Amino acid sequence: MTFAAAALIVGGLGGTAAMAIGRASTRLWKDANDFTMDAAGARSLATGVAAHLALSLWPVMGLLLGCAVLAGVTQGPPSLNWTRIAPKWSKISPFAGWKRLFATRALIEFVKTIAKFMLVAGVALWFAWPHAIAFDGLIGASPGHLTRATQEIVLRALKAIAIAVGVLAVADMLYQRHAFIRRLRMTFKELYDEIKDSEGDPKIKARVRAIGQERSRRRMMAAVPKAAVIITNPTHYAVALEYRHGEMAAPVVVAKGADAVALRIRTLAEAAGVPIVESPPLARALHASAEIDRPIPIEHYAAVAEIIGYVLRLARQTGGVAK
């Protein structure tokens, strides 16, 4: 934006301001004998010169001020932050200064500054050098012709520089946004500490959860000998059901498991003499939908009732005790 403003000033506003100052200077020298250098005359002369300068330079100064404000607004909304001017001892610490000077971000900014300077200088030479050989012909030329030739060369160079620096600014904006987002990311330790502060230490929670699961597994295994029947897959799943005729409205799941847990349930059931019935579809369905210490889902009542009825009849035939 600075180079764009400079191109506008050289291309038009600067010439207009220079011509206005030239006319005011001409009148000043032409009417020099009419000024009286007493207190009132000096004050009037100073006021007039200042007014003419202000009127002549206001387009240039207004353009520069507008570009400065616009450049700041495009980078972020305006805000009043008094902490920026508050004294900080870290700013005058030599150690902190050296640390900032040789930080990775500072080195990157230094390399970017050198690259931008080389880019601007290269573009300026690229557009100005072909016209350098014509400067010999300007020797003895009138001031107006010399001014116009210089203005043309400078204006071409400024236009090219403004375009090149604009492209560089867009690339730098994308890089700065990427770097800012990366700086906002939390490290693994920061994330771990935040979770620990808000939800508790994950290691302790995992240990408590493991202890709770182990105690639940022990209670579940202790309830297997009291089961009325074990429904198996036959090897991958096992579900232990408790049912007392006349006391319970529906069978209750007291234990369930897969693979090693299922094998442990079958072993305990065999040792306690609990009937084991193979029904793969029902075993898989109960393992997926039933909850421990809860009655079986209603959609499995018919299938489970058939199995329990079979177990009760078998117990009466063999002289066992029906649970």
Side-chain angles (χ1 to χ4, degrees):
M1 295 186 69
T2 301
F3 282 108
L8 289 175
I9 291 172
V10 174
L13 296 179
T16 303
M19 292 176 61
I21 294 175
R23 289 192 297 268
S25 300
T26 299
R27 289 196 299 270
L28 179 65
W29 287 106
K30 181 180 179 181
D31 301 332
N33 293 329
D34 297 336
F35 297 114
T36 58
M37 297 309 294
D38 54 7
R43 186 181 305 109
S44 176
L45 176 62
T47 303
V49 170
H52 280 293
L53 287 176
L55 291 174
S56 301
L57 294 177
W58 77 264
V60 175
M61 302 305 296
L63 177 63
L64 293 176
L65 179 61
C67 288
V69 174
L70 186 60
V73 171
T74 53
Q75 297 180 68
S79 61
L80 186 62
N81 190 355
W82 296 106
T83 59
R84 292 290 186 179
I85 60 175
K88 294 182 179 179
W89 294 108
S90 61
K91 297 296 184 181
I92 60 176
S93 171
F95 177 75
W98 280 99
K99 186 176 180 181
R100 289 194 301 268
L101 184 62
F102 292 100
T104 303
R105 185 179 178 185
L107 293 177
I108 293 176
E109 293 297 328
F110 175 74
V111 172
K112 285 168 49 182
T113 301
I114 296 297
K116 287 187 287 188
F117 172 77
M118 294 179 63
L119 175 65
V120 171
V123 171
L125 289 175
W126 178 271
F127 281 87
W129 188 257
H131 302 278
I133 58 177
F135 278 115
D136 293 342
L138 297 177
I139 298 176
S142 63
H145 182 68
L146 180 63
T147 301
R148 286 191 297 272
T150 304
Q151 181 185 17
E152 182 181 358
I153 296 174
V154 173
L155 183 59
R156 288 183 178 179
L158 283 176
K159 287 181 179 179
I161 291 172
I163 295 174
V165 174
V167 174
L168 185 64
V170 173
D172 187 46
M173 179 188 68
L174 297 177
Y175 166 76
Q176 293 290 351
R177 179 175 178 81
H178 174 72
F180 175 72
I181 293 176
R182 289 195 63 181
R183 288 195 301 270
L184 289 181
R185 293 176 181 174
M186 300 175 65
T187 63
F188 179 79
K189 186 178 184 306
E190 292 172 342
L191 182 62
Y192 178 84
D193 292 340
E194 182 178 357
I195 294 176
K196 183 172 65 175
D197 293 339
S198 60
E199 301 180 6
D201 193 337
K203 294 182 179 179
I204 297 177
K205 292 177 64 179
R207 179 59 179 166
V208 171
R209 185 164 53 250
I211 293 174
Q213 292 175 352
E214 180 62 25
R215 290 179 177 177
S216 177
R217 189 178 298 111
R218 290 179 181 177
R219 290 194 301 268
M220 184 177 66
M221 294 303 178
V224 170
K226 304 176 183 178
V229 65
I230 308 296
I231 302 176
T232 64
N233 192 29
T235 57
H236 295 293
Y237 297 101
V239 180
L241 302 178
E242 181 182 5
Y243 179 71
R244 291 188 295 273
H245 183 66
E247 298 180 15
M248 303 175 67
V252 175
V253 178
V254 295
K256 70 175 183 175
D259 298 328
V261 178
L263 177 60
R264 179 62 176 165
I265 292 174
R266 292 197 304 272
T267 302
L268 292 175
E270 292 174 355
V274 178
I276 299 177
V277 178
E278 295 183 6
S279 179
L282 182 59
R284 288 194 298 267
L286 289 175
H287 184 274
S289 60
E291 298 181 7
I292 296 177
D293 295 330
R294 301 285 296 176
I296 62 173
I298 192 171
E299 60 268 19
H300 302 306
Y301 274 13
V304 172
E306 183 178 352
I307 291 177
I308 290 181
Y310 166 75
V311 170
L312 292 177
R313 290 193 301 270
L314 183 63
R316 284 195 295 268
Q317 293 174 3
T318 58
V321 178
K323 296 184 179 181

